[in-house]
Amino acid sequence: MSEAQVSQLRTPLVTAERTLSQVTDDIVTPLIQRPTVRWWLSFLAAASVLGIGFGMVAYQIGTGIGTWGLNKTVGWAFDITNFVFWVGIGHAGTLISAILFLFRQKWRTSINRAAEAMTLFAVMCAAIFPLIHAGRPWLIYWMFPYPNSRGSLWVNFRSPLLWDVFAISTYFTVSAVFWYIGLIPDMATIRDRLSGLRKKIFGFLSFGWNGSNRIWSRYETLYLLLAGLATPLVLSVHTIVSMDFATSLVPGWHATIFPPYFVAGAVFSGFAMVLTLMIITRVVLKLEHFITIRHIENMNKIIIVTGGIVGLSYGTEFFIAWYSGSPWERFAFINRAFGPYAWSYWIMFSCNVVSPMLFYFKKIRTSILATFLLSIVVNIGMWFERFVIIVTSLHRDFVPSSWAMYKPTVIEIGTFTGTFGLFFTLFLLFVRFLPVISMGEVKAVNNFAKHKNAHHAEHEVTA
Amino acid sequence: MSKVRTVGWFEQEAQILHATKAARKVKLKVVDVYTPYAVHGLDEAMGLRPSKLTWVCFLAGLAGGGSMLALMIYTSAISWALNVGGKPFASVPAFIPVTFEATVLCAALTTVLAFFVRSKLFPGKKVVPLERVTDDRFALELWAEPEEARSFLEGQGAVVVQEVP
């Protein structure tokens, strides 16, 4: 069997010697056991931060978005920065679950479930910002084209902001469905392991899955199709997000390089967030055999590549600003690097261009601690990238008399912090109630189990 | 003698593949095979034809994208034509992003729905799955005379053989 061949060169994807039922045990056990003190502490911390966020959101919806630090010149700042930041984080989940699936990268199996969950939670966090920015979030349905009593006044389909509505809502829906489809066989495994109320709940959620190969065969086709659909979808989402800027005439935004530049940046920051989460999860849930150094190293290699693309984009932007001959464009970039917000530019540059270079050293990219720290550094850098692009392009516009500075208010900072609370609360609930690792897929790449079971069988046949 | 459903449980992937192929070779009717994960090559061993879901996906995508494009042209150029920045009313290039999103959304949701309908899966469906097939064993279910099925399955290395109602 070609699948059962063991490579002499590569480290196995499941490093400990685990039989199939031990794989089930390892992943189901954390769901059965009482939550640990560490889980409760993290959950309470995350939920408290979420509480702060709730308060902030309630206050600014009640009072109005005048509570933000925006002014006539800088009309877009913190809120859209955070929106782009969170949407970008989501991209790694889909890249792992869909694009690596199409490329037959088997190492994705240990991390795809958690990465997809991360995508969903990140998109939820992202959606909060435009929702508040709409001013009256209860009228958000006005963004969809439906026959209405205003003479049927339709939405403007030529606006990139409307494209964004469709892109984000489609992205969330398709990611959620893709994630759920992946969960069905695993929820059936849990159903057959447990008893009582949980068995009933998982029985309900697993849709009557019975492991039939007639269904597996169709399931594999479905999974491939969804991966094929999600791949261009994820590229389109950040492309469209970048068009919110690129289709405008603002110097510093009006650039054709934006779509690929944004997509690479999104994957870059997303992988950093996956690493941050996975390094914690593997220790807390004792999944070191499934999420191995090889997985971490592979993700670090993707960070090197996407970080390289991001660095190249910074350089290209600067070059084109000079080469275009447009004084506005030149000024926007010189102001970015040496103006009053230069500090944010250089934070961005050192976090996104310099720090991932360290991963060229094998010692660093195979070190858990270094990876963990660098993954946080990259996310800080990517947040600043969006801040730099948005605020520095706006704050010194065409007429010097209208130049202004922007400073976030406590409300804005509190809301952003609150989204981290939401993100981690949801993620902690996820690791508590659902299988963090796709058992069905890990079993299929666990070569030890195949050989172990083979020995058993031979013994019993010959005995 | 009447035919019954007999199930043989195996402990490894290679055996189930071999047993399924062998069963078809000796003209035993394979009802189904149950596995804890998608076993590569089992579709060929069972002689399953490729799924038609790809067609559902293609047609649903076409329908979704087509209707969305039509809706955008209708709302922007026919129902209430507004002059936005002097652009043509039916500014098709600007409609492409939303057309694409609608294509993907419609294709994905319809294909998933078609999968559930075709596989008869729905929330809350009651099943009594075979022992351990969602955990670590592979089961081959045959429709044959009991003696013949039992000796075949045992010969293939099944660890447990049972007749099921």
Side-chain angles (χ1 to χ4, degrees), chain B:
Chain B
M1 270 195 354
S2 61
K3 293 190 171 182
V4 291
R5 286 165 62 199
T6 308
V7 177
W9 277 264
F10 296 87
E11 285 205 315
Q12 62 148 327
E13 185 187 307
Q15 286 178 308
I16 193 80
L17 277 167
H18 188 262
T20 311
K21 277 183 207 147
R24 297 212 321 139
K25 203 171 273 173
V26 298
K27 301 268 187 292
L28 281 168
K29 184 162 166 47
V30 176
V31 180
D32 210 337
V33 181
Y34 300 87
T35 57
Y37 55 85
V39 173
H40 191 73
L42 198 51
D43 295 356
E44 291 79 16
M46 281 175 77
L48 296 181
R49 272 174 303 177
S51 163
K52 291 192 185 68
L53 282 178
T54 42
W55 283 101
V56 174
C57 185
F58 175 69
L59 294 174
L62 215 57
S67 345
M68 197 59 184
L69 187 59
L71 176 78
M72 286 189 281
I73 293 173
Y74 168 76
T75 57
S76 316
I78 300 165
S79 171
W80 189 338
L82 268 179
N83 185 334
V84 180
K87 295 187 184 95
F89 293 125
S91 34
V92 177
F95 297 162
I96 295 304
V98 176
T99 306
F100 171 77
E101 302 300 328
T103 307
V104 169
L105 184 65
C106 191
L109 295 184
T110 312
T111 316
V112 168
L113 204 67
F115 164 75
F116 285 141
V117 170
R118 181 70 186 81
S119 309
K120 299 191 184 72
L121 297 177
F122 52 86
K125 183 183 178 184
K126 293 262 182 295
V127 280
V128 186
L130 296 173
E131 283 285 307
R132 290 171 72 169
V133 291
T134 58
D135 184 4
D136 65 341
R137 281 198 179 162
F138 306 82
L140 173 59
E141 185 179 329
L142 299 173
W143 173 253
E145 291 178 6
E147 289 311 308
E148 193 186 0
R150 180 169 286 273
S151 66
F152 170 81
L153 289 168
E154 277 168 359
Q156 290 294 327
V159 280
V160 181
V161 178
Q162 240 173 37
E163 283 165 29
V164 291

Side-chain angles (χ1 to χ4, degrees), chain A residues 113-159:
Chain A
R113 169 77 40 76
E116 282 174 56
M118 184 202 74
T119 295
L120 293 177
F121 306 150
V123 175
M124 284 181 201
C125 291
I128 289 173
F129 293 99
L131 203 65
I132 304 170
H133 206 164
R136 285 179 285 172
W138 51 93
L139 295 178
I140 205 77
Y141 63 91
W142 283 11
M143 290 188 182
F144 290 94
Y146 65 98
N148 53 59
S149 57
R150 284 158 266 137
S152 273
L153 175 62
W154 304 104
V155 291
N156 177 18
F157 282 110
R158 298 175 194 89
S159 162

Side-chain angles (χ1 to χ4, degrees), chain A residues 182-256:
Chain A
L183 269 169
I184 287 178
D186 277 7
M187 291 198 290
T189 305
I190 300 173
R191 169 198 68 198
D192 298 341
R193 268 292 169 108
L194 301 182
S195 55
L197 180 65
R198 288 183 185 208
K199 190 187 183 78
K200 280 205 182 112
I201 294 172
F202 280 106
F204 184 85
L205 295 175
S206 59
F207 284 43
W209 183 270
N210 63 356
S212 152
N213 192 58
R214 288 180 195 280
I215 299 180
W216 267 124
S217 165
R218 242 173 258 132
Y219 177 92
E220 288 286 281
T221 310
L222 174 69
Y223 206 83
L224 183 66
L225 287 170
L226 286 179
L229 289 169
T231 298
L233 177 64
V234 67
L235 300 180
S236 85
V237 172
H238 233 63
T239 299
I240 290 174
V241 168
S242 81
M243 284 173 178
D244 293 348
F245 306 100
T247 57
S248 75
L249 295 174
V250 176
W253 288 1
H254 187 58
T256 46

